[in-house]
Amino acid sequence: MVAAKEGKISNSKAEGSFISTGFSNWKDATSKFRKHQDSDCHKEAVERSVKLPRETKDIGEVLSAAHTEEKAFNRQQLLTILRNIRFLARQGLPIRGHDSEQSNFLQLLKLHGESDPSILKWLKKKQDKFTSADIQNEILQVMALRILRDVAANIREDGYFSIMVDETTDQSNREQVVIVLRHVDSELNVHEEFMGLCMVPSIDAATLTNVILDTLVRMNISLSKWVMDMHSTWLLATLWKGQK
């Protein structure tokens, strides 16, 4: 009856007793119901009212489902790339080589492809693969900043720290400054945390002071928690000269 009201049954197949006039032959109801169940009228009503709505989806829903599936696939590949870069960085292995096709990064992705062919399909894309050198460097920077934030949080939690600074010159004769913070946790374990390698125009007192203070500010670490140790005599003099 509902299908007839919605115009989903052709007039030639409509059966009045089950749609408009009503059914009254209850004495022979069972056989009549079975006959109606096998009729074209009933089959058309079920097809149009039940089956078609289940099997046919709105085009917006179809596109949305395809977009959701694509995002899930892209996310899976990106996570694989992130894990590979994290592994290489943690092991201190070079990501790239003289030949990008033979780099540790790409070969490690292909190794993953032996158990997950989807990454091999991803590598065949011509663009937007998240595998370029610029993307690798950006991912490494994000990971490094996350580690530095965790280290800074540990230092603030432990309360006090000492500073160790050393300067060196690379092969191109550029001055670089290494900054290390030393702190002791609640279980009296000593930690020496590498905070960064800064390239500086000179190694005078003012420049070194600015580098140290800038590092502490960026890490949100208060200089008031600095504890002098045997490494800090030269550093204290440098800071004093730089702030004069």
Side-chain angles (χ1 to χ4, degrees):
M1 185 178 293
V2 175
K5 289 181 178 180
E6 295 178 355
K8 296 180 179 179
I9 301 177
S10 60
N11 293 331
S12 61
K13 296 181 180 180
E15 296 182 11
S17 58
F18 290 96
I19 296 176
S20 56
T21 60
F23 182 80
S24 60
N25 187 11
W26 297 104
K27 181 179 179 180
D28 199 20
T30 303
S31 62
K32 294 294 184 180
F33 290 162
R34 289 175 180 172
K35 183 179 179 181
H36 174 71
Q37 185 176 352
D38 295 331
S39 67
D40 292 338
C41 176
H42 179 75
K43 291 179 180 179
E44 186 176 26
V46 172
E47 181 73 23
R48 296 188 177 185
S49 299
V50 180
K51 292 184 178 180
L52 282 178
R54 289 180 180 175
E55 298 174 358
T56 305
K57 296 182 179 179
D58 180 77
I59 185 63
E61 294 179 358
V62 174
L63 292 175
S64 178
H67 182 61
T68 301
E69 183 178 351
E70 182 182 5
K71 287 197 299 183
F73 176 77
N74 292 346
R75 186 179 296 111
Q76 177 186 351
Q77 309 315 316
L78 178 58
L79 289 175
T80 299
I81 291 171
L82 292 173
R83 285 192 293 267
N84 284 6
I85 293 179
R86 182 183 62 184
F87 170 80
L88 293 171
R90 179 173 290 175
Q91 297 302 114
L93 298 174
I95 295 178
R96 301 182 291 272
H98 298 293
D99 183 359
S100 60
E101 289 298 320
Q102 300 301 322
S103 65
N104 290 332
F105 172 67
L106 192 57
Q107 291 302 314
L108 191 56
L109 285 178
K110 291 181 178 180
L111 180 62
H112 278 291
E114 294 181 5
S115 57
D116 181 11
S118 65
I119 191 66
L120 299 179
K121 178 181 176 181
W122 177 264
L123 292 175
K124 292 180 181 179
K125 294 178 62 176
K126 294 184 178 180
Q127 58 185 3
D128 298 331
K129 296 189 296 186
F130 304 123
T131 57
S132 68
D134 291 338
I135 294 296
Q136 293 171 11
N137 292 337
E138 186 175 349
I139 291 173
L140 286 172
Q141 185 178 18
V142 170
M143 291 180 176
L145 291 176
R146 172 60 186 272
I147 293 173
L148 285 176
R149 284 196 293 267
D150 291 342
V151 169
N154 292 336
I155 294 175
R156 289 194 298 270
E157 182 178 354
D158 294 338
Y160 296 93
F161 64 94
S162 62
I163 306 174
M164 294 184 288
V165 179
D166 194 10
E167 61 229 57
T168 184
T169 304
D170 62 15
Q171 292 183 348
S172 60
N173 203 32
R174 292 178 299 183
E175 297 289 349
Q176 297 180 345
V177 174
V178 178
I179 299 179
V180 176
L181 299 186
R182 195 167 186 264
H183 63 104
V184 180
D185 61 24
S186 58
E187 297 181 357
L188 302 182
N189 296 313
V190 179
H191 301 271
E192 293 185 355
E193 309 288 2
F194 172 76
M195 305 304 291
L197 182 65
C198 306
M199 198 171 299
V200 294
S202 65
I203 55 173
D204 57 34
T207 300
L208 295 180
T209 299
N210 290 333
V211 169
I212 295 170
L213 294 178
D214 179 66
T215 300
L216 295 179
V217 169
R218 286 189 290 108
M219 295 296 102
N220 194 23
I221 298 175
S222 174
L223 187 61
S224 63
K225 299 295 185 179
W226 173 33
V227 176
M228 289 186 58
D229 57 13
M230 65 181 194
H231 301 285
S232 302
T233 304
W234 169 85
L235 181 59
L236 180 63
T238 300
L239 289 173
W240 183 78
K241 291 179 182 178
Q243 293 180 326
K244 285 183 64 177

